[in-house]
Amino acid sequence: MPPKWPAAWWETSLKADRGGTVQLVMGDLRQGPPASAPAVRNGLPAAPVVLAGRTDEVKELLKALAPGGPPALVVTGLAGVGKSALALAVAQQAMKEGLFEGGVLFVELHGYDPGGGLVGVGQAVDTLLGQLGIQGEDLPATAQARLALFRSELAARSEAGLRVLIVADDAGDVGQVRDLVPPGEAHQLLVTSRERLVAPDFLVRVLALDELPPEAAVELITAALCRSPGDTRAEREPEALAEIAGHCGRLPLALTVAAATLAGDPGLAPRALARQLADARIRLEALSPPDRGGLPTGVRAAFDLSYQRLPEDQARLLRLLTVVPGPDCPGPLAAVFTEKGGSPTENRPLAALSRAGLLQEHPLGSDRWRMHDLVRLYATWRGELSAEADGRVAATDRVLEIRRGLLWAADSQVFEHGGPPEVALFPNADAALAWLDAESAGLIASARLVVVEERLQDTIWFGLGVFKYLDRRNRWGEALELLEPALAAARQTGDREAESQMLSFKVRALTVLWRPEEALRTQERLVAMDREDGDDPPRTAMLLGIWARLLSRTGRPEEALEQHKAALDLLDGRGLPAQEAAQLDELGQTLRRLGRTTEAIAAMSRAVLLLAEAGENGHGMARVTANLGKALSEAGQHEAAVAVHEAALAAFQELGDERHEAASWGFLGDALRLLGRYTEAVAALTRARDVFREAGIVHDEGFASAHLGAALAEAGRPAEALPVLERAGELLGETDDRGLLGWSLYLLGEALAQLKRYDEAVLALERAAALQAEAGDAGRREITLALLASVRAELARPPGRRWWPWGRSG
């Protein structure tokens, strides 16, 4: 008869079933382990046919599931991001690779079931025991005893050398899976959940899934269409599929819905669906089709399950976060939405939303929080339903007020309005610029929002402040886009001071973007406003000088000389050496364009002398010095030009002005090239090109690349010059600088001729000559036509008698 165990241990009668020794398992007496524990049949649901874009994640999980890996892993992420698909695919692959000789157990936990279908740990254990072949009368009476039996069965397989994988899908909290962690080191648990499921007594390795890469998102839709024989829509409209993927936020669930919509309607063109999804007002509805019973499915239904589990304060915070313009929200700004106030770093309400899979801190530790695009649409929809209760309008006003104040404070620190900021919110200019960098996307989004909502004064303020930042970061296209509505708002409100300032900004952006004709028209408007507004000679002189520069750049240098003279007359005797020097510098550049280099050098030298006498050694002196160096090069005084460019370079380096430093490297490199010092020239020009490339300044990168190609060709390295010059042509083709593009193509033609690729050389030179004619560059066009004639003559020779001298570029 059995031993008399204490009552606390004795819960069930002895069960004898398969022979062997009796074993005590957590209060149950049951038959000891069989001589050979059977492997579990693979009861996994089918893995997805296409698992696009998850190659790295599959490799990472398979590596973690190898012997010696962590006992438990959690695949987490937003609803619909493909957690279950990944887990099933990995589990199937692990079986194929023989990682789990004992088989795979699977349990669906329904952690987010709205109908109360959540599977508790006891139910989960019963399911897993059933897959182990233990059910019915073999099951102990209590949940605790069944859990002990489950662990005992796993221990038996471990002793038999049979590793088992347990896949627990869709866990809603740690309590559902904590007790499923297998004992020992042999077996492993793989969990999927929208929550991160990290707790003091449940330390696991977490793999967080993001949306798919763009190519993989398109692949998922394409695979669905290709299942139908003869469906060629994916081949015909790949761009439309890419657009659909973008509107789906590259979320696998949304992509699957979109793909099913296309597959279910063979006559639906992808571009038509793309147009439908482009409308953010109906996108969520389009990706949430009803099932046969009329209940919603798809994206909205998936998000509903996560949203309905939130406490009301977190649900309200999620809704209000959508009033923050931009792709993310900094923690301190989100604090205005919390009832207690204070910093979210103290009570971490944002982290709670992150654990629920509805928000993401990116990058980790930054206290910047980002919503997936579709979650934002969903939360916005929820917010509109609760707008009055949430105080949504007031929240928007508060966010814009805070951002506007911070923008002005940072702007004051970085761009020095002429005095210290009223409120020093940043310790120094570097800290203010770092904040502007971090907040740039949100500031730009705020500037766009106030335009849409017709907040005219905010449109002006955001337009001015954000333009200065974008100008600092060489992002002139975006700057110009934001400036136009701000300029219109200034006109509408009659704010002539703001209008004048923004017209000046517009001229600068158009000039840098190499759109001189538009810049000239804008400057004419600015000069007209100045004449209407009153008598301010120094300002008028400045405006006339800019006007003259634009006239010169648009092929009207003779008219420009008249404006230069008028500006200098206005400044005469006023004791403004810096402004007078700037006008002399511009006059010198116009004289250069007229070929009057001796007069140009005299004007620029006078400018340098004025600045030196006034003790000016900042940007003004450095810029005038650099321009003087260019004039000296054109006058053939190359040694003097090198010395002057070296001085300008040192000045810009000391000032920390990377853009002008790069330009100085380019000018110095060109002067060295003209002296035949090719090794030094190539090094300087390479440095200039690389800095412009990093800064994204297309025109200047093209300029430096053209000169670098010339230096390589002249050094007898045409094969190296060729790709550099081809790239220069591509870059300059994106600008309106026909003259420089024509010269670049001339250099390309010369390099091709040196390589005896005469047919290609003819094409490049013909295009160069046409561009030079459009630009009115008669001198260089004459050189181009001469070279073109020589190349054609060589092309006419019999192949065996062709030759080409290694010449220097003009």
Side-chain angles (χ1 to χ4, degrees), residues 84 142 191 244 285 397 493 631 662 742 750 797:
S84 299
T142 68
V191 182
I244 290 170
E285 195 69 31
D397 292 342
T493 58
E750 186 181 51
R797 293 173 184 268

Side-chain angles (χ1 to χ4, degrees), residues 246-419:
H247 293 318
C248 291
R250 307 197 306 275
L251 187 72
L253 174 59
L255 293 166
T256 301
V257 172
T261 301
L262 288 170
D265 186 353
L268 178 61
R271 62 179 175 274
L273 180 59
R275 282 195 299 269
Q276 180 184 2
L277 294 177
D279 189 342
R281 296 168 299 178
I282 62 172
R283 186 182 309 158
L284 197 62
E285 195 69 31
L287 295 174
S288 306
D291 65 8
R292 292 181 179 178
L295 297 174
T297 60
V299 174
R300 179 179 291 172
F303 291 168
D304 277 339
L305 299 181
S306 294
Y307 179 80
Q308 289 163 3
R309 289 168 54 95
L310 296 176
E312 176 50 32
D313 60 334
Q314 292 181 23
R316 178 177 180 273
L317 176 59
L318 181 73
R319 297 191 298 265
L320 285 176
L321 285 174
T322 62
V323 309
V324 180
D328 60 13
C329 176
L333 188 57
V336 303
F337 305 136
T338 59
E339 294 181 4
K340 297 180 181 179
S343 169
T345 56
E346 298 170 2
N347 49 39
R348 304 291 284 175
L350 297 172
L353 289 174
S354 177
R355 288 192 296 273
L358 294 167
L359 208 60
Q360 182 182 20
E361 187 179 21
H362 183 77
L364 288 175
S366 66
D367 200 23
R368 302 193 68 85
W369 303 85
R370 181 182 299 254
M371 274 188 209
H372 187 275
D373 290 346
L374 294 178
V375 174
R376 179 178 288 276
L377 284 178
Y378 176 85
T380 300
W381 167 67
R382 285 284 185 180
E384 290 169 351
L385 297 177
S386 309
E388 187 174 349
D390 289 347
R392 196 171 179 84
V393 174
T396 302
D397 292 342
R398 181 63 177 146
V399 166
L400 291 173
E401 178 187 2
I402 292 171
R403 272 200 170 148
R404 186 178 62 239
L406 288 168
L407 172 61
W408 179 249
D411 186 79
S412 300
Q413 289 279 86
V414 175
F415 303 106
E416 301 176 2
H417 287 280

